[in-house]
Amino acid sequence: MYSQLEGVSLVDSPGKQPLTFTGFGTVTAAVTESHLVPGVTLNPASTLDVDGPCEGLLESRPRVNENEKRSLHSCHSSADTSKMNDSKSCEFGLPVFQEKPLASGPICSSMANNCLLSADKISVLSENSGSNPDAVAELKANGLVCARSENIDSGTNAVSSDLLVENTHLANSTIPNAAVLESVNECSSMHSQNTLEDVFQEIYLTRARDTKTVLNRCSIPYPDLCSQWTEPRQIEPLLCSKNDVKRKSILGDINRIVQPAAIMNNIVYSLDALLDEQSHLQDCLANSDAEWVLTHSEQTIESPLEFDSQFESGNLRTAIQVREREYDLLLSPDVNSSRHLQWFYFRVRNMQVGVPYRFNVINCEKTNSQFNFGMQPVIFSVKEAGQGRAGWLRTGSNICYYKNQYTRSAGVDAQAKLFHTAAFTIVFPHNGDICYMAYHYPYTFTLLQTHLQQWKGLATQWGTYLNVQRLCKTLSGNEVPLLTITSQSREDDLDGRQYVFLTSRVHPGESNSSWVMKGIIEFLLSGAPVVQQLLKMYVFKIVPMLNPDGVINGSHRCSVTGEDLNRKWVNPCPVLHPTVYHTKQLIRYLVSISKSPILFCDFHGHSRKKNVFVYGCNGKTSWREDDKVNSLDDKAFLSLPVQLQQTVPVFSLADCSFNVEESKESTARIVMWREMGIVRSYTMEITHCGCDEGIYQGYHLGVQQLQEVGANFCAALLTLPCSINLDCCLINKALNVLEEDTPSEEQVSAESSEVEESDQSDGEGKEAATSISAYQL
């Protein structure tokens, strides 16, 4: 089990003998539980070239003593604290940061994209500071701009109070005039926010050039460069589909066959042709969308739309103009695969304002989609961002999803299956704009790397223990981050803390899981009183992105080997499946030192069901008879869903399932339950669409709502019982909900589709409903 740890020396503390792993499962000295909590360092001289299961995972920085903590908190003024205390709070005491308009346009909204410094803090720091034209250079010196490093370290970066002010004559003005003072604050705020925007972009560009990909990338996506997004003024409703939309689309396809002369069939974008012609260098990555919009917005548009997908997470292989304003789009399959066609993300420009454009994604695989039940794709306008309204919006009309006449290749003895079309109409808001369109809100690997730098600043600001380490490297050579978050108060009893292990984004196309994970991490680093209580109870181990290579290359489900990593947990290969292998070995190590996680949760996205729900493990409904015999007569597996029903407004207990099916034996949820003995082992499924119950019934889940799911998930952990004895009333109520649930027509359609293509189902798919009698008390 520990064969890759040969020769690694773990130093517990100065003056003690190192503990050495000597290979092939033999451990010469017992490793204590302190190796996975604050205060332990890895001997740098013993680092292996081979990425072992625990290489670097025990590295951390020393705890902050009381004097250091006081100095860290001294930079927070009383004015800033009072504003935090007066901020609006949502249910369960979770902090909601008020929206603050920026001088340059964008708005920092609730948990959407937290800055290294809040606008309030910048204003406070500006009052007693002088001018500093080298603000960016000083931010670098303080660690807020990170150059490439082989060792990711959390650091203890402090920001001095004289960084973010320009215009000395205003800052030092002694004129006792309220209007002048207001101008001072406005100018300081403008310069501060512009500086932070520049810092964010510089961090992103540095990380983007270090990101390794299979295909050449010519640019970086503009949405990722906007450090702060504005949220829609209102939550976005689901689209009310018209009954005849699908019928008209099918008739349009028939008309192509009847009248072929009316079809243009003009290839306007071909990724294959571009790859044959181009030899771009990764070091030249940049983005010129804003400049292009400025020079083309007033021009008369007569040529066809221009497409591009040569950026991180982009997926568009071919665009064919079939009519003047209608385009057929072909997606690329996953790397080293000919399947898994769903995720799309591309850029389009050269459009006319107020003119409807029809887009047909004609090689989708799944037999049904939420596009038939109100879901809309998302769009990001560069021109809107330049006017201070940066953000993704749901868009599109006449949306439908149906089987078309195109066939996909099949094996020798297999019957060829037909593709499906996802069709939608877009009316662009501006002339000569550049718009990014995607299946769901994108979250790239480089954006994660940039957010890691911001999270370090938040941890330093609130005195929270955050350690960011390298779990392993992917096949492409990208570093996979592992986060450890807990309280670093010296008076706490670390031995009494339970471990919580969270993972997400094993399937690249399920970007909503990354937004939920971002909400979890930022909530844990928010410094709220409820968070301090939570961090004194648990040590959080988080792998925010299990499949970076798939995310970078725009895949939907697989890694670069063309394999579904969520089907490799039984026997992962350290070479082909490094992220799964090292994650499993780390959890195995925790179990071996009697630190078994009280909870394991793998976050996924679901494209054919609404709401948020979980899959758990109940031995009494297992496909294996020995599970039914050996299963304990307890309901611990229901503890998290019961709490989520109380704390997460979009959670649906009726959609949950706790069956252990043979086809899911190799998934993370069941492997952690069966091999590691983690009773509370779950897969959380988050809809790509919206909700059909609760306070968000009839609405999409946006970025803000997804992050709120993460924050409310943490709130549920506060009341998660540490024992297996649960409130019988709550359990019986949960069982009644599960028994009385009657599937809707939409759910039946989704379930029948997933039975037909169970190997391609989202996350773990919708498991068949079974009798609840085994649950009864």
Side-chain angles (χ1 to χ4, degrees):
M1 180 176 70
Y2 300 110
S3 59
Q4 301 259 342
L5 288 173
E6 183 171 2
V8 174
S9 177
L10 302 176
V11 180
D12 185 35
S13 62
K16 291 189 177 182
Q17 295 297 320
L19 308 174
T20 305
F21 292 90
T22 57
F24 301 103
T26 303
V27 182
T28 59
V31 181
T32 66
E33 51 275 274
S34 64
H35 287 135
L36 292 172
V37 293
V40 184
T41 58
L42 176 68
N43 186 353
S46 62
T47 303
L48 293 177
D49 293 332
V50 180
D51 295 329
C54 297
E55 181 207 357
L57 302 187
L58 308 183
E59 178 187 6
S60 64
R61 52 186 170 88
R63 302 180 206 163
V64 178
N65 59 38
E66 294 302 320
N67 293 330
E68 290 172 330
K69 286 172 64 181
R70 279 192 289 270
S71 65
L72 285 174
H73 288 287
S74 64
C75 65
H76 307 305
S77 69
S78 59
D80 188 36
T81 305
S82 64
K83 291 185 179 182
M84 175 63 71
N85 292 336
D86 293 337
S87 64
K88 179 182 177 182
S89 298
C90 62
E91 193 174 359
F92 312 110
L94 309 184
V96 176
F97 302 99
Q98 298 297 314
E99 297 184 349
K100 302 178 181 65
L102 307 182
S104 57
I107 295 176
C108 181
S109 62
S110 165
M111 299 184 68
N113 275 284
N114 286 332
C115 295
L116 293 169
L117 295 176
S118 66
D120 287 341
K121 182 177 177 183
I122 292 170
S123 178
V124 171
L125 293 178
S126 302
E127 292 178 0
N128 299 316
S129 58
S131 64
N132 193 334
D134 298 324
V136 176
E138 293 201 29
L139 288 172
K140 288 183 183 179
N142 283 275
L144 300 182
V145 178
C146 181
R148 183 176 180 179
S149 174
E150 293 299 324
N151 231 347
I152 305 174
D153 183 44
S154 56
T156 54
N157 304 317
V159 183
S160 65
S161 61
D162 59 349
L163 291 181
L164 300 169
V165 177
E166 206 172 27
N167 302 317
T168 309
H169 64 286
L170 289 178
N172 296 332
S173 175
T174 58
I175 302 175
N177 186 293
V180 173
L181 295 177
E182 183 176 352
S183 299
V184 171
N185 290 333
E186 183 177 351
C187 293
S188 300
S189 177
M190 180 184 300
H191 175 70
S192 302
Q193 297 297 345
N194 289 337
T195 301
L196 289 174
E197 186 82 9
D198 293 339
V199 170
F200 181 91
Q201 293 182 6
E202 185 171 347
I203 296 173
Y204 185 93
L205 289 171
T206 301
R207 295 300 184 184
R209 291 169 185 139
D210 291 340
T211 300
K212 301 171 179 61
T213 180
V214 173
L215 303 177
N216 288 327
R217 293 177 295 147
C218 301
S219 64
I220 56 178
Y222 184 87
D224 281 8
L225 293 177
C226 299
S227 62
Q228 298 162 5
W229 296 350
T230 59
E231 289 292 328
R233 294 182 179 179
Q234 298 178 344
I235 54 178
E236 299 174 289
L238 299 176
L239 182 68
C240 295
S241 301
K242 299 179 182 179
N243 295 330
D244 61 342
V245 172
K246 187 182 298 186
R247 176 176 175 272
K248 289 181 178 179
S249 297
I250 295 174
L251 288 176
D253 289 351
I254 295 174
N255 190 50
R256 296 190 191 188
I257 302 174
V258 176
Q259 297 179 341
I263 304 304
M264 300 173 66
N265 280 334
N266 178 31
I267 298 177
V268 296
Y269 177 75
S270 173
L271 180 61
D272 301 80
L274 290 173
L275 292 176
D276 291 338
E277 299 172 359
Q278 295 172 345
S279 58
H280 292 274
L281 298 177
Q282 188 105 326
D283 294 337
C284 299
L285 289 175
N287 185 283
S288 59
D289 288 349
E291 292 80 358
W292 190 95
V293 167
L294 288 175
T295 58
H296 291 76
S297 59
E298 302 301 329
Q299 297 182 4
T300 302
I301 306 298
E302 296 180 356
S303 57
L305 295 178
E306 298 177 7
F307 294 82
D308 181 39
S309 63
Q310 287 188 280
F311 48 81
E312 186 174 346
S313 295
N315 190 329
L316 177 65
R317 186 167 187 173
T318 306
I320 305 170
Q321 185 181 20
V322 293
R323 296 185 178 93
E324 183 180 1
R325 294 186 180 89
E326 184 175 359
Y327 296 84
D328 284 352
L329 309 179
L330 288 157
L331 307 181
S332 297
D334 288 2
V335 177
N336 283 317
S337 172
S338 60
R339 301 172 51 200
H340 309 297
L341 297 145
Q342 177 174 302
W343 171 260
F344 61 83
Y345 183 21
F346 57 88
R347 182 183 68 184
V348 61
R349 67 185 186 184
N350 221 37
M351 69 282 293
Q352 297 183 39
V353 64
V355 175
Y357 290 86
R358 186 70 172 172
F359 298 94
N360 308 305
V361 183
I362 62 174
N363 63 334
C364 299
E365 283 187 319
K366 293 190 174 183
T367 56
N368 209 341
S369 169
Q370 282 293 311
F371 281 134
N372 279 334
F373 303 100
M375 188 175 84
Q376 297 172 285
V378 297
I379 189 171
F380 186 103
S381 168
V382 174
K383 183 169 260 189
E384 286 286 307
Q387 296 175 358
R389 296 183 294 272
W392 290 93
L393 296 173
R394 297 282 183 171
T395 189
S397 60
N398 297 327
I399 300 175
C400 61
Y401 189 91
Y402 60 94
K403 186 181 293 185
N404 59 36
Q405 70 272 24
Y406 305 110
T407 59
R408 46 180 168 168
S409 60
V412 177
D413 300 325
Q415 183 179 0
K417 296 182 179 180
L418 294 175
F419 281 114
H420 289 71
T421 295
F424 46 89
T425 299
I426 304 293
V427 178
F428 294 101
H430 299 286
N431 205 49
D433 195 3
I434 294 180
C435 291
Y436 288 78
M437 300 171 62
Y439 179 84
H440 193 73
Y441 310 104
Y443 192 96
T444 63
F445 176 69
T446 303
L447 188 59
L448 170 64
Q449 295 287 80
T450 308
H451 285 159
L452 285 175
Q453 294 300 116
Q454 291 183 315
W455 295 337
K456 294 172 186 176
L458 288 176
T460 301
Q461 178 179 354
W462 297 108
T464 303
Y465 179 85
L466 168 65
N467 193 20
V468 183
Q469 301 162 282
R470 187 183 75 183
L471 175 69
C472 61
K473 284 188 176 182
T474 65
L475 282 175
S476 298
N478 294 297
E479 294 185 350
V480 181
L482 168 73
L483 281 63
T484 303
I485 304 176
T486 190
S487 171
Q488 59 181 354
S489 301
R490 296 180 64 90
E491 65 271 12
D492 292 337
D493 183 10
L494 297 176
D495 293 339
R497 296 185 192 178
Q498 300 273 8
Y499 279 77
V500 173
F501 210 106
L502 308 177
T503 62
S504 70
R505 208 66 184 278
V506 70
H507 294 147
E510 297 167 2
S511 57
N512 46 357
S513 65
S514 284
W515 290 109
V516 172
M517 186 63 79
K518 181 175 183 286
I520 290 175
I521 295 171
E522 292 187 350
F523 176 74
L524 294 177
L525 300 176
S526 66
V530 66
V531 174
Q532 298 300 329
Q533 180 183 353
L534 187 67
L535 295 180
K536 292 177 182 179
M537 296 169 58
Y538 302 109
V539 176
F540 288 86
K541 288 286 183 179
I542 301 176
V543 183
M545 194 169 286
L546 279 168
N547 192 353
D549 288 350
V551 172
I552 293 166
N553 292 290
S555 297
H556 169 61
R557 190 172 183 84
C558 298
S559 66
V560 291
T561 63
E563 299 172 285
D564 183 351
L565 293 181
N566 201 35
R567 297 297 187 272
K568 299 298 176 184
W569 287 90
V570 171
N571 187 26
C573 174
V575 177
L576 299 179
H577 324 119
T579 57
V580 172
Y581 174 81
H582 290 90
T583 301
K584 183 178 180 181
Q585 290 295 81
L586 178 58
I587 296 175
R588 189 187 299 277
Y589 175 70
L590 285 169
V591 173
S592 71
I593 61 172
S594 301
K595 287 292 182 181
S596 178
I598 186 177
L599 172 76
F600 173 86
C601 190
D602 188 23
F603 292 83
H604 287 254
H606 207 292
S607 68
R608 284 185 285 197
K609 281 184 64 64
K610 291 183 171 68
N611 308 317
V612 176
F613 51 95
V614 299
Y615 297 127
C617 299
N618 177 21
K620 292 191 177 298
T621 58
S622 173
W623 67 281
R624 288 171 51 167
E625 291 298 327
D626 57 336
D627 288 339
K628 298 177 182 179
V629 174
N630 299 327
S631 177
L632 296 175
D633 190 18
D634 66 70
K635 309 298 180 292
F637 64 89
L638 281 172
S639 58
L640 180 66
V642 167
Q643 299 303 328
L644 292 175
Q645 184 74 3
Q646 310 298 317
T647 62
V648 182
V650 299
F651 187 80
S652 173
L653 185 62
D655 289 323
C656 297
S657 175
F658 304 94
N659 302 325
V660 180
E661 296 183 340
E662 182 178 6
S663 61
K664 306 299 189 297
E665 276 291 321
S666 56
T667 61
R669 167 179 64 97
I670 295 182
V671 169
M672 295 303 149
W673 172 73
R674 187 181 301 284
E675 296 186 19
M676 308 299 176
I678 303 174
V679 178
R680 299 175 182 86
S681 179
Y682 305 98
T683 296
M684 175 172 276
E685 296 281 358
I686 305 103
T687 179
H688 283 98
C689 181
C691 298
D692 57 12
E693 61 180 72
I695 63 173
Y696 290 115
Q697 181 177 1
Y699 292 92
H700 286 98
L701 293 186
V703 169
Q704 179 175 343
Q705 287 76 44
L706 292 172
Q707 292 181 95
E708 287 173 357
V709 169
N712 289 321
F713 174 89
C714 295
L717 300 182
L718 279 171
T719 53
L720 184 70
C722 295
S723 66
I724 61 176
N725 298 318
L726 302 176
D727 189 322
C728 292
C729 294
L730 286 176
I731 294 300
N732 285 328
K733 181 179 178 181
L735 295 177
N736 291 334
V737 171
L738 292 170
E739 282 183 320
E740 296 172 1
D741 177 43
T742 302
S744 64
E745 179 182 353
E746 175 186 342
Q747 291 174 324
V748 171
S749 175
E751 291 171 14
S752 62
S753 300
E754 293 174 27
V755 169
E756 180 181 345
E757 297 184 17
S758 60
D759 60 329
Q760 300 180 35
S761 59
D762 304 56
E764 297 187 49
K766 173 63 180 174
E767 300 181 357
T770 58
S771 172
I772 311 298
S773 59
Y775 298 142
Q776 297 300 331
L777 296 175

